Amino acid sequence: MAGRSVGVQFHPEMTVDLLERWYTLGVPDGLDARALRAATAAQDPQRLAERAERVLALALRPPGSAPG
C-alpha cells in the first residue's frame, strides 16, 4: 500500500440528452425519474461546468502538489 487512495466515479461526458435516455430506459429501483428530471432542470449549467472543471483539475494534478 502506498499512501492514501480515494476513488471517485463521475461522468463528465453526461449531457441532458444522455440523462433523458437513461430516465427513459429506466432508473434503478428506489429512484424517481420525475424527481431526477426536476432536480436536473433546477441546476445552473454554467455552475456545473465550472465545478466539473475544478474536480478534473484536482484529479489531474501531480502527486504531492498543493491544490490550486
Side-chain angles (χ1 to χ4, degrees):
M1 182 173 221
R4 298 181 194 180
S5 299
V6 174
V8 181
Q9 179 178 354
F10 65 99
H11 296 276
E13 77 282 4
M14 190 57 66
T15 64
V16 173
D17 290 338
L18 286 173
L19 275 173
E20 187 56 39
R21 183 171 182 218
W22 182 71
Y23 298 150
T24 302
L25 292 173
V27 297
D29 289 341
L31 295 178
D32 179 355
R34 285 181 293 203
L36 291 169
R37 280 185 181 103
T40 299
Q43 297 299 311
D44 174 11
Q46 181 62 37
R47 183 170 174 236
L48 292 175
E50 290 168 0
R51 189 180 307 162
E53 287 179 19
R54 284 196 312 268
V55 168
L56 189 57
L58 285 171
L60 296 177
R61 71 175 196 224
S65 66

